[in-house]
């Protein structure tokens, strides 16, 4: 039986007992069913109804209120203000979905506000928490809308079918992927509506932009993968959010090489870290590229034959180092490493592993939800990772300084056959970790 716990972020040799969030607060292990608010004060969870509890333990508050028989919460997002939450429910009686917005600091005294109904593909709050942007299916077509969080009329942003969108950090624009003449391209439009601008440039015949595009944290640029120059060869590009010149970032690739599907941007908006088989087809290595100059650097060490850098690398919030998983020392033994974004010495973080042990990987599950293997604390000082380091098949939670040092076990004692789930959250002050485990009370 899995329960949610909070534990201090620890250094090696320190002791700290996990605190149950609300004994027994039992949660699904999937990350989308619970979130720690950005300020680390509350845990929000949606299993059937939407509820919240203090991160240090205490009474559970009903956010969505009691739902009709057969109805349930089907996804939610917490705003950057740590107080606003938008969520979707399936209304069983009406046979439709509804989007609602609520205040965590007012629940359950103030009722949620319904802002839209129908069938929805995706939804997100703008960073200023004033607008809700969503894709709704209308007459079989996925269309893009925005609506004020406080309530009001929704605005359809574009007429073309849209597969995905990203909101700029200043909440002013939405970058979206849509189909034109049978090709997927990127465009930008004001969050409240207006004229859309195509920003991905010209594409070769049958070329298209992939769906993993990102806005830089400063909102100035969009980085995207596309087979824009050669059909079937995926490369990495950048352009201004407003459109203009498109610059290739990934450099030359060997014949048969591609940029892999998971690149990450540095918080200071200066770097992109990506995986590619740039030097040898089939051998995936790690690289960084300057977004301003497009100069590239290989970050990973020389890999054994058949080895690869795993997906899911993480850049520290201070933009100095990237943490990655690879079987760089021994094939099929996946350890954790860090290196500076400019390149240099690669440091092993995970320490010794028991025979058969591995650091868990960051990946998506079969149903599209994220599963965590490692993350970096907001102060960029510590890496938290999940591994069966001491006993093969028994996954525990550890911490280690990002620049290297002795690892510390941070998860508590587990029941026989127990495990730490691949889902946790770190408070904004880097002092607490909330995690789910089959642990002893």
């Amino acid at each position: 039986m899995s329960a949610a716990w909070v534990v201090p972020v620890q250094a090696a040799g320190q002791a700290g007992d996990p605190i149950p969030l609300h004994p027994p607060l039992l949660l699904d292990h999937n990350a989308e069913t619970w979130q720690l608010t950005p300020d680390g004060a509350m845990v929000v969870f949606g299993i059937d109804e939407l509820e919240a509890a203090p991160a240090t333990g205490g009474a559970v508050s009903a956010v969505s209120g009691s739902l009709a028989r057969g109805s349930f919460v089907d996804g939610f997002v917490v705003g950057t203000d740590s107080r606003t939450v938008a969520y979707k429910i399936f209304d069983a009686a009406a046979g439709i979905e509804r989007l609602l917005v609520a205040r965590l600091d007012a629940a359950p005294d103030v009722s949620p506000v319904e802002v839209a109904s129908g069938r929805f593909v995706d939804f997100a709050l703008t960073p200023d928490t004033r607008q809700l942007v969503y894709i709704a299916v209308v007459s079989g077509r996925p269309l893009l809308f925005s609506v004020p969080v406080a309530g009001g009329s929704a605005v359809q942003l574009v007429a073309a079918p849209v597969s995905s969108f990203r909101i700029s950090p200043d909440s002013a624009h939405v970058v979206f992927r849509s189909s034109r003449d049978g090709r997927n391209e990127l465009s930008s439009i004001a969050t409240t509506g207006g004229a859309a601008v195509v920003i991905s440039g010209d594409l070769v015949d049958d070329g298209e932009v992939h769906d993993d595009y990102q806005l830089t944290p400063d909102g100035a640029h969009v980085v995207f993968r596309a087979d824009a120059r050669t059909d079937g060869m995926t490369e990495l590009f950048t352009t201004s959010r407003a459109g203009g010149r498109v610059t290739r970032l990934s450099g030359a690739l060997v014949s048969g090489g591609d940029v892999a599907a998971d690149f990450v941007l540095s918080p200071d908006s200066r770097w992109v870290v990506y995986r590619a088989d740039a030097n040898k087809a089939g051998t995936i290595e790690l690289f960084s590229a300057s977004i301003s100059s497009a100069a590239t650097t290989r970050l990973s060490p020389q890999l054994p034959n058949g080895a690869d850098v795993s997906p899911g690398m993480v850049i520290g919030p201070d933009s100095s180092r990237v943490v990655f998983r690879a079987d760089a020392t021994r094939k099929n033994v996946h350890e954790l490493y860090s290196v500076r974004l400019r390149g240099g010495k690669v440091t092993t973080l995970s320490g010794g592993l028991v025979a058969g042990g591995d650091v868990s990987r960051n990946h998506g599950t079969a149903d599209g939800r994220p599963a965590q293997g490692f993350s970096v604390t907001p102060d960029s000082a510590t890496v938290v990772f999940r591994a069966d380091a001491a006993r093969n098949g028994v996954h525990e939670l550890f911490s280690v300084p990002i620049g290297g040092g002795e690892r510390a076990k941070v998860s508590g004692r587990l029941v026989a056959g127990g495990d730490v789930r691949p889902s946790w959250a770190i408070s904004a002050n880097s002092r607490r970790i909330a995690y789910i485990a089959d642990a002893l009370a």
Side-chain angles (χ1 to χ4, degrees):
M1 183 176 289
S2 299
W5 303 80
V6 170
V7 68
V9 177
Q10 301 170 41
Q14 292 182 342
D17 293 328
I19 303 167
L21 286 180
H22 179 73
L25 179 56
L26 303 179
L27 300 178
D28 188 283
H29 72 273
N30 291 313
E32 282 189 352
T33 61
W34 72 286
Q35 292 181 37
L36 194 66
T37 55
D39 63 5
M42 302 284 288
V43 175
V44 184
F45 50 98
I47 302 174
D48 293 316
E49 300 174 354
L50 192 66
E51 298 176 296
T56 53
V60 174
S61 299
V63 178
S64 60
S66 181
L67 301 179
R69 182 180 178 86
S71 300
F72 56 89
V73 172
D74 187 25
F76 66 92
V77 291
V78 177
T80 57
D81 62 358
S82 296
R83 296 296 176 265
T84 306
V85 59
Y87 63 98
K88 180 176 69 173
I89 65 169
F90 174 71
D91 184 332
I96 60 174
E97 296 172 331
R98 301 185 187 277
L99 289 179
L100 299 100
V101 177
R103 293 279 301 183
L104 295 176
D105 54 353
D109 300 322
V110 178
S111 298
V113 175
E114 182 177 330
V115 294
S117 61
R119 186 161 70 89
F120 305 102
V121 176
D122 195 11
F123 61 96
L125 287 164
T126 54
D128 63 9
T129 66
R130 293 181 179 178
Q131 297 279 132
L132 185 70
V133 180
Y134 61 92
I135 298 175
V137 179
V138 180
S139 300
R141 302 170 74 234
L143 302 176
L144 188 64
F145 295 83
S146 71
V147 65
V149 163
S153 299
V155 175
Q156 182 178 334
L157 297 180
V158 289
V162 171
S163 61
S164 61
F165 66 89
R166 313 283 189 268
I167 302 172
S168 64
D170 63 3
S171 303
H173 288 83
V174 180
V175 174
F176 61 93
R177 181 176 180 257
S178 61
S179 178
R180 184 179 66 161
D181 299 329
R183 290 184 293 187
N184 289 308
E185 58 188 10
L186 294 181
S187 300
S188 177
I189 193 171
T191 307
T192 53
V197 177
V198 177
I199 63 173
S200 49
D202 296 329
L203 304 174
V204 297
D205 290 343
D206 297 324
E208 66 174 10
V209 175
H210 294 276
D211 209 22
D212 54 349
Y213 57 94
Q214 298 181 46
L215 278 150
T216 53
D218 63 5
H221 293 86
V222 180
V223 180
F224 62 96
R225 294 187 313 126
D227 52 347
R229 298 184 176 189
T230 304
D231 182 31
M233 177 178 281
T234 300
E235 299 175 288
L236 195 64
F237 300 89
T238 188
T239 188
S240 166
R241 183 179 78 184
R245 179 184 177 187
V246 176
T247 302
R248 185 178 69 174
L249 294 175
S250 48
L253 302 176
V254 296
S255 177
D258 274 308
V259 173
D262 60 320
F263 60 89
V264 289
L265 304 176
S266 62
D268 65 5
S269 301
R270 297 174 59 194
W271 301 90
V272 57
V273 174
Y274 65 95
R275 299 184 313 128
D277 47 353
N279 297 312
K280 180 181 178 181
T283 298
I284 306 297
E285 299 175 292
L286 192 67
F287 300 85
S288 66
S290 164
I291 291 176
S292 61
S293 71
T296 62
T297 302
R298 191 183 76 179
L299 300 180
S300 52
Q302 190 72 34
L303 300 176
N305 288 334
D308 280 317
V309 173
S310 303
M313 52 276 186
V314 178
I315 297 175
D318 66 359
S319 301
S320 65
R321 285 181 171 269
V322 60
V323 179
F324 65 97
R325 176 184 183 267
D327 51 348
T329 305
R330 290 172 292 168
K331 185 180 176 183
N332 295 325
V333 177
H334 295 93
E335 299 176 279
L336 203 60
Y337 304 88
S338 78
V339 64
R340 295 190 179 277
L341 298 188
R342 295 180 180 275
K345 179 184 176 182
V346 178
T347 302
T348 304
L349 298 179
S350 44
L353 301 175
V354 70
D358 273 308
V359 173
S360 300
R361 60 193 179 100
N362 289 332
H363 68 286
T365 60
D367 59 1
R369 297 181 176 184
Q372 288 173 284
F374 54 94
S375 59
V376 180
T377 54
D379 63 5
S380 299
T382 305
V383 177
V384 177
F385 65 96
R386 177 179 181 264
D388 52 347
R391 289 177 291 170
N392 187 24
V394 178
H395 295 91
E396 299 173 293
L397 207 58
F398 299 87
S399 67
V400 65
I402 195 169
E406 186 179 355
R407 76 179 184 219
K409 186 167 79 74
V410 297
S411 52
R413 292 182 300 158
L414 302 175
V415 299
D419 222 17
V420 171
R421 299 292 188 265
S423 175
W424 63 86
I426 302 172
S427 63
N429 63 11
S430 302
R431 294 178 180 176
R432 294 192 187 107
I433 305 169
Y435 69 98
I436 300 174
D438 310 308
L440 292 169

